[in-house]
């Protein structure tokens, strides 16, 4: 991480060379695994790679042709990502002043990432030992007893899956950060030539990260599934049935959720504390532009975009896909078992195939965004958001076709010949839900629409009216998404229920799997959605580099447009993530009830909130959401106060900063934010992990003494149910309000209502400052929390009984 002594002040020459920045980097950092790989002979490395691929394909061929198909698509997608990487890195980095600023951002991001993930890895190892201890002393299920899968084997499998999920999630975060810190300066350089080229570079940079994240989530589960299948001799006489195998993958989703939560908390606290500190002193008190090189907190702010929006979002989307795949595989296996389907592998592996097609259709959508027109420049009337939306529309059309092919291929069964069509309609419901979610969030956060313009207008009457309008807009924005989620869940459940699949007693059993298919439909364009999300912080960083290196105003105008579009895409993808989290949590909740029923060896189908203890569990779940949000926001506030005090101190003690006669101490602000965010992420993260375990264990003890053996499990079910509902509403409110405040400020900065420096602009900056911890810390962390609660209760279910 940057240190004080690595910044050469060069006070005497700063005024003469305002665009030249000293080399603020320490020696470049390369992760240990890459240093080891680079030290191996190329031929040896190639042989090892081929051997690894051979083992993977052998495991796949020994499991199912479907697994071979999935692995093949993932490997092809990685080749596409390599092409995109080479394409992006081949772009020039611009003049030296841009490169020097980019190097400083890269150094700060890599330093924080290394420290943050070092802390997360230690906590993950501690939790792995806790899981191992619990599983070594838990009861076994009838299926495990009949297959001979002992406690120790089950424990080691769960811990191995947990650690693999955590490692893959961490790597997904690293990929997001690695890409963004190298793409930002190339987007800045491209903006000097063409707006359309800058758009293409930012999109392809986000796309290569998205493809790797989705591909890793899919191939990780596929290889883990195939390994367990071969190792345990699944479906051979006296061994485990294939329908029970997905339950062994739960640890993978929990590991991914665990890392994603702390990555989102730490990164979110970092980026928003730096942003708030920079804005309050720079914009409001000193009246200097955003990303002005005179602001001591500007490097910390730009570093935060990478660790908070790119690294954390990569881990977040990885976790979303992993949790959804595992839960859908569990429900598919359960339904196939109840319906006595002869070959259940199609229902179990269907989620992996859907996301394999996602890699294909999203790649087509990414490549559909071309960098040049005949003139080589974006037309004046051409809106970057419209171009991205066209790519999304192409992706959606292809996703609908691919989903139909997938359902006919894998979900056709002689017992119900038309069931596949019903499930295809479920997928269509999910795809439509995703599109509507994106549209709703865009409507509430894009300054081309009335809500944000009304919010901007409220700024003309002061800071207070801006805050009131923003809060009311955020509260109102929860209505439409909840209605859409409600309709989609009911529609998908009904379509699944009427698909014709029945159990031994003749009761329809496809309802829950229908909602699982709808969730897969919603996430069937996840790679393109993540591309649009990554586009935002890359464009934001590009604008910062342009401002700091004092490029011509025309270049800054291009990056400002891309930045405003990036704010909208970030908000829309967060809305999309919340919607998918709602559906995935519903599936995980159902999987939890099945898990409890299996361990308890008695039916568990209802949660009666009229029972006082169960109702209290629900209240505790809702309380967790509010306390967690409060702690996340207050963490940003406390860290921002330290940044504000430091920036004020530098402006007072170094008055020459404002006249370019002295250089700010950027490294001091980076160090403050980094250490504070690592410290502050522990408390809310620990609260999220410990709460359901403590609640379930306490009520289990109470149930033991009162003669209610399932009381602990039922209270946890209510805890999970209420926390999910409260968390979805709170996350929608926080994300939308924060995004609207941000773009209301951007709208005024376009020249509306007096433009930059006006009283309306100052009020809008205040609103944006309030919204920063909402949209980039508490809001994104909440939808990760929702899914993590579901996975942790699945893994810890034995201690509630």
């Amino acid at each position: 991480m940057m240190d004080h002594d690595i910044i050469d002040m060069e006070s005497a020459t700063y005024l003469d060379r305002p665009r030249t920045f000293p080399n603020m980097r320490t020696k470049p950092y390369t992760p240990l695994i890459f240093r080891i790989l680079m030290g191996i002979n190329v031929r040896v490395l190639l042989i090892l790679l081929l051997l690894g691929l051979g083992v993977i394909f052998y495991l796949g061929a020994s499991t199912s042709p479907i697994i071979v198909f999935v692995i093949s698509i993932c490997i092809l997608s990685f080749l596409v990502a390599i092409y995109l990487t080479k394409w992006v890195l081949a772009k020039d980095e611009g003049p030296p002043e841009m490169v020097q600023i980019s190097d400083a951002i890269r150094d700060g991001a890599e330093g924080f990432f290394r420290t943050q993930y070092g802390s997360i890895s230690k906590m993950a190892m501690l939790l792995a030992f806790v899981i191992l201890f619990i599983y070594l002393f838990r009861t076994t299920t009838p299926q495990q007893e009949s297959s001979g899968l002992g406690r120790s084997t089950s424990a080691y499998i769960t811990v191995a899956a947990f650690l693999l999920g955590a490692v893959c999630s961490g790597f997904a975060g690293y990929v997001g950060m690695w890409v963004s810190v190298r793409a930002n300066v190339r987007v800045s350089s491209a903006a000097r030539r063409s707006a359309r080229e800058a758009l293409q570079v930012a999109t392809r940079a986000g796309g290569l990260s998205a493809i790797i994240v989705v591909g890793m989530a899919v191939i990780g589960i596929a290889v883990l599934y195939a390994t367990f299948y071969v190792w345990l001799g699944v479906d051979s006489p006296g061994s485990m049935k294939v329908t029970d195998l997905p339950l062994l993958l739960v640890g993978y989703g929990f590991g991914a959720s665990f890392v994603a939560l702390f990555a989102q908390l730490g990164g979110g606290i970092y980026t928003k504390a730096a942003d708030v500190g920079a804005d309050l002193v720079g914009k409001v008190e000193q009246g200097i532009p955003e990303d002005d090189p005179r602001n001591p907190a500007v490097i910390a702010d730009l570093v935060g975009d990478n660790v908070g929006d790119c690294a954390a979002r990569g881990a977040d989307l990885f976790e979303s896909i992993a949790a959804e795949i595992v839960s859908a595989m569990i429900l598919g296996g359960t339904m196939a078992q109840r319906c006595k389907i002869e070959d259940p592998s199609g229902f179990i592996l269907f989620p992996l195939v859907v996301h394999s097609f996602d890699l294909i259709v999203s790649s087509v959508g990414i490549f559909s965004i071309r960098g040049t027109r005949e003139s080589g420049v974006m037309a004046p009337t051409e809106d970057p958001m419209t171009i991205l939306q066209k790519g999304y529309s192409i992706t959606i059309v292809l996703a609908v076709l691919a989903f139909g092919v997938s359902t006919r291929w894998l979900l056709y069964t002689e017992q119900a010949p038309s069931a596949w069509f019903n499930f295809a309609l479920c997928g269509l419901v999910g795809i439509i839900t995703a599109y509507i979610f994106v549209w709703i969030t865009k409507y509430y956060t894009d300054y081309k629409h009335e809500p944000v313009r009304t919010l901007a207008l409220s700024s003309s009457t002061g800071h207070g009216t801006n805050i009131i309008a923003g809060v009311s807009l955020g509260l109102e924005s929860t209505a439409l998404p909840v209605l859409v989620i409600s309709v989609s869940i009911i529609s998908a459940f009904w379509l699944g229920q009427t698909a014709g699949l029945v159990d031994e007693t003749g009761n329809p059993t496809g309802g829950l799997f229908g909602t699982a298919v709808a969730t897969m439909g919603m996430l069937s364009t996840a790679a393109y959605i993540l591309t649009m999300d990554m586009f935002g912080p890359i464009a934001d960083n590009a604008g910062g580099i342009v401002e700091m290196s004092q490029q011509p105003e025309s270049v800054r105008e291009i990056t400002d447009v891309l930045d405003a579009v990036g704010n909208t895409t970030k908000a829309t993808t967060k809305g999309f993530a919340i919607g998918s989290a709602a559906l995935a949590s519903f599936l995980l909740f159902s999987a939890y009830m099945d898990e409890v029923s299996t361990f308890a060896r008695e039916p568990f189908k209802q949660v009666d909130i009229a029972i006082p203890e169960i109702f209290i569990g629900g209240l505790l779940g809702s309380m967790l959401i509010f306390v967690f949000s409060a702690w996340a926001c207050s963490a940003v506030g406390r860290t921002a106060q330290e940044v504000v005090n430091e920036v004020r101190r530098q402006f007072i003690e170094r008055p020459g900063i404002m006249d370019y006669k002295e250089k700010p101490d950027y490294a001091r602000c980076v160090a403050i934010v980094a250490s504070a965010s690592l410290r502050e992420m522990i408390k809310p993260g620990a609260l999220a992990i410990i709460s359901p375990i403590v609640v379930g264990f306490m009520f289990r003890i109470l149930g033991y003494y009162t003669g209610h053996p399932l009381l602990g499990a039922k209270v946890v079910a209510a805890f999970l149910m209420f926390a999910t509902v409260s968390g979805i509403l709170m996350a929608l409110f926080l994300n939308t309000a924060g995004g609207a405040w941000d773009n209301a400020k951007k709208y005024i900065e376009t020249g509306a209502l007096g433009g930059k420096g006006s009283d309306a602009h100052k009020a809008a900056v205040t609103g944006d400052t309030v919204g920063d911890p909402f949209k980039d810390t508490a809001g994104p962390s909440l939808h990760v929390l929702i899914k993590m609660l579901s996975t942790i209760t699945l893994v810890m279910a034995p201690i509630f009984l």
Side-chain angles (χ1 to χ4, degrees), residues 359-658:
L359 291 168
I360 297 173
V361 301
S362 294
S363 296
V364 174
I366 292 165
F367 281 102
S368 71
I369 298 174
R370 308 306 295 267
T372 57
R373 299 166 61 89
E374 291 182 5
S375 63
V377 181
M378 190 182 297
T381 57
E382 204 167 19
D383 180 9
M385 190 67 193
T386 303
I387 298 171
L388 292 174
Q389 286 281 21
K390 286 180 181 176
Y392 184 44
S393 299
I394 292 171
T395 306
I396 281 183
V397 171
L398 294 175
V400 170
L401 297 175
F403 211 93
V405 172
S406 303
T407 49
R408 181 62 180 83
W409 173 26
L410 298 174
L411 303 185
Y412 178 82
T413 174
E414 294 292 342
Q415 293 175 229
S418 63
W420 72 269
F421 184 72
N422 278 48
F423 290 127
L425 292 178
C426 290
L428 184 61
V429 167
I431 293 172
I432 293 172
T433 300
Y435 188 83
I436 293 174
F437 251 86
V438 169
W439 183 87
I440 290 172
T441 314
K442 180 175 176 290
Y443 172 74
Y444 278 109
T445 57
D446 194 334
Y447 63 61
K448 294 180 179 65
H449 300 293
E450 183 183 354
V452 173
R453 294 197 174 204
T454 302
L455 176 58
L457 183 62
S458 71
S459 304
S460 61
T461 53
H463 302 252
T465 50
N466 172 279
I467 301 300
I468 293 169
V471 170
S472 62
L473 184 150
L475 292 171
E476 179 190 318
S477 69
T478 61
L480 286 177
V482 167
L483 292 174
V484 171
I485 291 172
S486 303
V487 171
S488 63
I489 289 177
I490 291 174
S491 301
F493 190 89
W494 180 82
L495 285 168
Q497 199 77 342
T498 57
L501 292 170
V502 295
D503 60 15
E504 293 176 333
T505 60
N507 294 319
T509 59
L512 280 177
F513 189 67
T515 59
V517 174
T519 308
M520 286 180 269
M522 191 168 186
L523 285 168
S524 63
T525 56
Y528 191 87
I529 291 291
L530 181 56
T531 298
M532 292 202 298
D533 190 87
M534 292 288 187
F535 170 89
I538 291 172
D540 192 356
N541 254 210
I545 292 172
V546 166
E547 180 73 39
M548 284 197 72
S549 60
Q550 300 179 3
Q551 298 299 310
E553 188 64 28
S554 58
V555 181
R556 180 68 201 196
E557 287 174 2
I558 290 174
T559 55
D560 277 347
V561 171
L562 295 180
D563 186 16
V565 171
N567 283 334
T568 303
T569 59
K570 284 192 293 183
T572 54
T573 49
K574 286 170 190 170
F576 168 86
I578 294 168
S580 64
L583 293 177
S585 297
F586 179 71
L587 303 183
L588 289 165
F589 180 76
S590 303
Y592 166 74
M593 295 182 76
D594 285 342
E595 177 91 337
V596 170
S597 180
T598 302
F599 276 107
R601 309 189 187 196
E602 61 179 274
F604 181 41
K605 297 182 180 297
Q606 296 178 340
V607 179
D608 187 357
I609 61 173
I611 298 173
E613 293 89 347
I614 296 176
F615 183 72
I616 289 171
L619 284 178
L620 293 173
S622 296
M623 179 199 72
L624 169 66
I625 298 301
F626 284 83
V627 174
F628 178 87
S629 302
W631 285 2
C633 289
S634 64
V636 173
R638 283 191 297 270
T639 308
Q641 286 175 358
E642 295 183 44
V643 178
V644 167
N645 290 332
E646 172 60 24
V647 174
R648 284 174 176 168
R649 181 192 67 78
Q650 290 197 35
F651 278 126
I652 292 170
E653 295 180 4
R654 303 182 183 186
I657 288 176
M658 290 300 292

Side-chain angles (χ1 to χ4, degrees), residues 766-786:
T766 300
D768 180 33
T769 303
V770 173
D772 275 341
F774 283 21
K775 66 183 175 67
D776 286 324
T777 307
S781 298
L782 271 179
H783 74 253
V784 179
L785 170 66
I786 293 168

Side-chain angles (χ1 to χ4, degrees), residues 711-797:
L711 184 62
K714 290 179 179 179
V715 169
V716 168
F719 181 95
L720 189 59
M721 186 189 306
F722 280 58
T724 300
V725 173
S726 302
I728 290 167
L729 292 171
M730 180 67 83
L732 285 169
F733 161 67
L734 294 173
N735 281 329
T736 309
W741 266 316
D742 195 347
N743 270 348
K745 178 198 69 177
K746 286 284 192 297
Y747 175 60
I748 293 174
E749 288 175 349
T750 62
L753 302 172
K756 293 183 179 180
S758 64
D759 289 340
H761 182 240
K762 291 179 180 178
V765 170
T766 300
D768 180 33
T769 303
V770 173
D772 275 341
F774 283 21
K775 66 183 175 67
D776 286 324
T777 307
S781 298
L782 271 179
H783 74 253
V784 179
L785 170 66
I786 293 168
K787 288 170 288 186
M788 198 203 70
L789 289 175
S790 302
T791 53
I792 196 173
T793 50
L794 264 175
V795 172
M796 300 294 183

